[in-house]
């Protein structure tokens, strides 16, 4: 247990001291944070809402199924053979 | 332009932007790992400083490139929701593995590599440097498994209940992972990254030589950069050869478009540029046999017999089968009668491989923009050969220590930096524009993959992205130029 704690502590100190002592890398970290903020707090929230957010899997299957199948056939409508479509 | 065009342009711009950073990450990772290995073996501080310098440029590129791929996933959910649902089950596993590996391997070992000089042992640091590059490479593998599946959808079954392509077993997962298209794409993309890294290192090093600064550092970097680039170039040719054979087998229309081949045949000629042809060469490249049959655009439209003797239906016939599949799907999803359902399922399974053709309005819809693919293919090959020549000449002269005074050659090496990026982007244009109109080959065309959005909404986000991307690119180039001007910490000569 002690060894585990020591390892976690060593890793924590490694990262903490490294970030504190950064020189030319510091602007890069700010750049990454700025980018992540723009991506997730602005673009994702205001511009990129998933089109099917909040729908159940059944509803998604139905919507995509209708889009792919194109239309719902009438009851008893015959299935056309290939000759219908051949030029 | 309609919503499909705007969505495609937006995705293309995002992917192209992402691909500015990925190849340099892959290439520089190898260059600096090799340099650090030399440092550990030779125990010479010069190599440590040299590796550290390229690591700094790697870090800048990494910082600006990081998370640019996530925007593609945003676009999947917003602009391409039908496609996302269709592929969700299949993409889940590779992209989850990619995310976990990218996060844990790159984040962990990148931190050790970046911060760990003099704080961990030399060997552990070296292992971390290699694992950072290997992590990025494995990460790319899973992305290309997903992309390869879109070009050649193997290992999955279309489930009409869920309207998804699903992996039913571990065997199916293996088929997806070992998809020959994914494997050749992976090696092609990774090794093209090595070329990018090599050309970048050689070009920047030549700038130092031009400025008469850091000559020892520049010469050493040119040697390593050119070796990595030359090895990468030959590996790109081998994997490109495999890609050509796979295109002939699985996406013949892409190959026909890349060659501008209207009517195919045996002993098909390879067009260098319009009017200059090498007889039989296309057959050799596409089938590894001078008598191999290569179908042209008209052959694909009208149907042909492939090299294994299989009768390939005409596009009109595929459209008919595709429409049968769509009607069967529709009946399957609307009926509660078990026998009617079973019959519809049977009809669907019989024709499902051509399901996407059912959405086409006319056979000619399967032809991608031939001019774009044809010229992108020539740019890719032409620039690739030019870059190899540059690496061979400069590498040789650096080896012989005869670069001094070859001012024009050094300027050419700097000019090659943007050219290697154009070369890589041209390759992706061939791969992605060449497979139009499909998002998933034969199964899902782009006009069905798209969400129900207005063109204005996509146009707005396109220009928002364009502004943000341009800003970040300018920032990166400024930081990079600053770091290059400052130079390495090796002794000045």
């Amino acid at each position: 247990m002690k060894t585990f704690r020591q390892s976690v502590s060593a890793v924590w100190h490694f990262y903490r001291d490294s970030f504190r002592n950064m020189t030319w890398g510091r602007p890069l970290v700010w750049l990454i944070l700025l980018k992540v903020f723009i991506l997730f707090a602005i673009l994702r929230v205001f511009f990129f809402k998933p089109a099917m957010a909040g729908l159940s899997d059944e509803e998604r299957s139905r919507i995509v199924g209708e889009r792919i199948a194109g239309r719902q056939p009438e009851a008893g409508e015959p299935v056309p053979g290939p000759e219908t479509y051949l030029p | 332009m309609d919503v499909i065009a705007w969505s495609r342009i937006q995705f293309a711009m995002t992917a192209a932007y992402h691909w500015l950073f990925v190849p340099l990450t892959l290439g520089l990772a190898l260059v600096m790992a090799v340099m650090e290995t030399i440092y550990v073996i030779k125990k010479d501080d010069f190599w440590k400083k040299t590796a550290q310098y390229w690591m700094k440029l790697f870090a800048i590129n990494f910082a600006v490139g990081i998370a640019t791929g996530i925007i593609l996933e945003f676009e999947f959910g917003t602009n391409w929701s039908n496609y996302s649902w269709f592929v969700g089950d299949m993409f889940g596993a590779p992209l989850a593995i990619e995310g976990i590996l990218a996060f844990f391997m790159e984040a962990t070992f990148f931190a050790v590599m970046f911060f760990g000089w003099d704080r961990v042992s030399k060997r552990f640091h070296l292992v971390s440097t290699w694992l950072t590059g290997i992590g990025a490479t494995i990460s790319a593998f899973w992305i290309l498994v997903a992309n390869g599946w879109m070009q050649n959808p193997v290992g999955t079954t279309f489930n009409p209940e869920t309207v998804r392509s699903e992996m039913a077993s571990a065997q199916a997962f293996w088929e997806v992972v070992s998809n020959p298209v994914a494997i050749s794409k992976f090696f092609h993309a990774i090794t093209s990254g090595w070329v990018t890294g090599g050309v970048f290192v050689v070009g920047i090093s030549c700038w130092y030589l031009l400025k008469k600064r850091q000559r020892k550092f520049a010469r050493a970097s040119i040697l390593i950069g050119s070796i990595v680039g030359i090895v990468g170039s030959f590996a790109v040719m081998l994997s490109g050869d495999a890609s050509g054979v796979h295109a002939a087998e699985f996406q013949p229309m892409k190959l026909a478009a890349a060659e501008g081949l209207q009517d195919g045949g045996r002993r098909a000629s390879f067009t260098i540029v319009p009017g200059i042809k090498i007889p039989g060469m296309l057959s050799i490249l596409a089938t590894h046999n001078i008598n191999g049959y290569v179908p042209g655009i008209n052959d694909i439209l009208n149907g042909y017999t492939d090299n294994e003797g299989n009768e390939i239906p005409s596009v009109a016939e595929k459209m008919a089968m595709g429409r049968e599949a769509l009607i069967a799907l529709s009946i399957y999803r609307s009926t509660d009668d078990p026998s009617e359902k079973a019959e519809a399922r049977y009809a669907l399974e019989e024709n499902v491989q051509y399901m996407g053709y059912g959405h086409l309005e006319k056979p000619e819809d399967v032809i991608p923009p031939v001019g774009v693919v044809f010229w992108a293919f020539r740019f890719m090959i032409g620039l690739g050969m030019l870059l190899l020549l540059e690496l061979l000449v400069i590498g040789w002269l650096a080896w012989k220590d005869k670069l001094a005074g070859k001012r024009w050659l050094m300027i050419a090496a700097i000019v090659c930096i943007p050219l290697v990026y154009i070369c890589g982007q041209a390759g992706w244009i061939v791969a992605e524009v060449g497979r139009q109109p499909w998002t998933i080959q034969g199964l899902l065309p782009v006009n069905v993959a798209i969400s129900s959005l207005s063109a204005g909404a996509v146009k707005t986000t396109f220009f928002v992205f364009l502004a943000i991307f341009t800003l970040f690119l300018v920032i990166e180039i400024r930081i990079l130029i600053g770091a290059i001007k400052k130079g390495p910490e090796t002794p000045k000569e």
Side-chain angles (χ1 to χ4, degrees):
Chain A
M1 194 64 188
K2 198 180 171 186
T3 318
F4 176 73
R5 272 190 198 162
Q6 281 173 338
S7 304
V8 173
S9 170
V11 171
W12 164 248
H13 282 99
F14 175 82
Y15 277 92
R16 190 197 62 185
D17 297 344
S18 300
F19 279 108
R20 276 183 183 168
N21 297 327
M22 277 176 106
T23 52
W24 60 267
R26 199 176 292 272
L28 295 180
V29 174
W30 283 112
L31 192 67
I32 292 171
L33 294 176
L34 173 68
K35 184 164 52 174
V36 170
F37 175 78
I38 291 172
L39 284 180
F40 287 96
I42 299 174
L43 293 180
R44 182 64 165 177
V45 174
F46 297 107
F47 295 101
F48 279 92
K49 292 172 188 164
M52 291 199 280
L55 300 180
S56 67
D57 283 356
E58 286 73 24
E59 287 170 315
R60 289 171 195 224
S61 297
R62 184 181 56 74
I63 291 168
V64 178
E66 281 174 10
R67 179 70 189 93
I68 289 180
R71 67 192 179 104
Q72 298 295 319
E74 298 294 324
E77 183 180 313
V79 176
E83 67 282 358
T84 312
Y85 301 100
L86 286 172
Chain B
M1 284 198 298
D2 61 7
V3 66
I4 300 170
W6 277 110
S7 297
R8 284 182 57 202
I9 288 173
Q10 187 182 67
F11 197 86
M13 176 187 67
T14 320
Y17 182 76
H18 185 54
W19 191 249
L20 289 177
F21 304 104
V22 177
L24 190 59
T25 298
L26 296 167
L28 272 186
L30 182 60
V31 168
M32 63 197 194
V34 170
M35 288 173 171
E36 191 178 338
T37 305
I38 298 172
Y39 158 63
V40 171
I41 292 168
K42 285 188 155 185
K43 298 180 180 63
D44 181 349
D45 244 26
F46 165 80
W47 283 104
K48 179 181 174 182
K49 301 281 185 201
T50 304
Q52 279 177 327
Y53 172 73
W54 294 111
M55 210 168 274
K56 187 174 178 176
L57 301 195
F58 175 90
I60 295 167
N61 179 65
F62 190 87
V64 183
I66 202 167
T68 49
I70 287 175
I71 305 166
L72 295 168
E73 294 187 25
F74 289 180
E75 289 171 23
F76 283 148
T78 305
N79 300 357
W80 304 96
S81 59
N82 294 341
Y83 157 84
S84 296
W85 176 255
F86 193 94
V87 302
D89 183 76
M90 181 272 145
F91 272 27
L95 294 188
I97 298 170
E98 189 273 333
I100 292 165
L101 273 170
F103 182 77
F104 284 106
M105 276 190 85
E106 288 180 64
T108 306
F109 294 109
F110 180 87
V112 176
M113 177 185 84
F114 195 51
F115 297 132
W117 290 105
D118 306 321
R119 295 179 66 186
V120 298
S121 72
K122 275 184 194 173
R123 282 178 192 278
F124 183 56
H125 192 277
L126 177 64
V127 169
S128 300
T129 304
W130 276 104
L131 286 178
T132 301
I134 291 169
T137 305
I138 295 172
S139 177
F141 173 73
W142 291 109
I143 297 290
L144 291 166
V145 163
N147 183 281
W149 181 82
M150 289 159 68
Q151 318 268 350
N152 179 33
V154 292
T156 52
T157 312
F158 177 70
N159 182 347
E161 292 286 351
T162 57
V163 197
R164 302 184 105 172
S165 268
E166 296 176 353
M167 280 189 287
S169 61
Q171 173 65 24
F173 179 73
W174 174 246
E175 275 185 58
V176 170
V177 170
S178 60
N179 180 356
V181 175
I183 302 293
S184 59
K185 263 183 163 298
F186 165 70
F187 282 107
H188 203 55
I190 295 300
T191 51
S192 76
W194 296 0
V195 179
T196 305
V199 170
F200 181 84
V201 168
V202 169
I204 301 294
S205 304
C206 280
W207 183 81
Y208 286 113
L209 290 181
L210 269 177
K211 294 282 170 192
K212 298 186 169 42
R213 286 173 57 186
Q214 310 288 354
R215 287 183 194 174
K216 185 183 174 191
F217 157 85
R219 182 172 170 247
S221 295
I222 288 171
L223 282 173
I224 302 297
S226 54
I227 290 169
V228 166
I230 290 164
V231 171
S233 293
F234 283 108
V236 161
M237 285 188 218
L238 285 175
S239 53
D241 173 66
S243 279
V245 173
H246 294 146
E249 192 175 352
F250 305 115
Q251 296 175 298
M253 184 58 89
K254 182 192 279 186
L255 185 70
E259 273 304 304
L261 188 68
Q262 289 296 332
D263 297 299
R266 301 189 183 277
R267 290 181 175 258
S269 304
F270 178 83
T271 305
I272 297 174
V273 286
I276 304 175
K277 297 185 177 202
I278 306 177
M281 184 52 98
L282 182 59
S283 284
I284 293 172
L285 291 173
T287 65
H288 290 174
N289 178 354
I290 194 164
N291 291 314
Y293 176 78
V294 183
I297 292 170
N298 292 331
D299 305 307
I300 296 165
L301 288 177
N302 299 322
Y304 62 97
T305 305
D306 72 11
N307 286 299
E308 277 74 44
N310 303 310
E311 294 287 334
I312 307 297
S314 70
V315 174
E317 287 168 320
K318 289 178 184 174
M319 284 170 68
M321 289 186 271
R323 289 181 186 184
E324 283 222 47
L326 294 179
I327 289 167
L329 172 65
S330 187
I331 293 170
Y332 181 89
R333 291 186 58 78
S334 60
T335 185
D336 292 323
D337 180 340
S339 66
E340 209 177 359
K341 220 175 174 71
E343 216 171 297
R345 180 152 198 152
Y346 177 77
L348 175 62
E349 285 170 0
E350 284 290 295
N351 298 296
V352 72
Q353 63 172 319
Y354 300 118
M355 189 169 72
Y357 285 86
H359 291 284
L360 304 179
E361 288 178 8
K362 53 187 186 305
E364 291 76 16
D365 288 348
V366 297
I367 306 171
V370 175
V372 175
V373 183
F374 178 86
W375 284 109
F377 189 51
R378 265 128 207 97
F379 267 101
M380 178 185 75
I381 294 178
L383 288 174
M385 301 307 284
L386 182 74
L387 294 167
L388 174 60
L389 181 68
E390 177 242 348
L391 291 166
L392 283 168
V393 171
I394 293 186
W396 174 255
L397 290 173
W399 175 255
K400 292 286 175 189
D401 203 7
K402 288 182 178 170
L403 254 178
K406 308 275 190 309
R407 194 178 159 78
W408 61 273
L409 205 52
M410 292 175 210
I411 293 170
I414 297 167
V415 172
C416 281
I417 296 177
L419 294 185
V420 77
Y421 284 94
I422 294 170
C423 184
Q425 299 287 349
W428 277 110
I429 290 171
V430 174
E432 301 304 304
V433 178
R435 73 176 152 110
Q436 294 303 315
W438 307 111
T439 41
I440 304 163
Q441 184 74 30
L443 292 180
L444 195 69
V446 284
N447 61 330
V448 183
I450 199 147
S451 308
S452 301
L453 293 170
S454 70
V458 185
K459 204 164 146 182
T460 306
T461 49
F462 172 83
F463 286 110
V464 168
F465 272 170
L466 188 64
I468 293 172
F469 288 166
T470 308
L471 178 69
F472 277 113
L473 198 59
V474 170
I475 293 172
E476 191 214 8
I477 292 171
R478 282 188 64 135
I479 298 175
L480 261 180
I481 290 174
I484 292 165
K485 278 184 177 169
K486 195 176 173 205
E489 291 173 14
T490 51
K492 292 184 173 57
E493 302 130 63

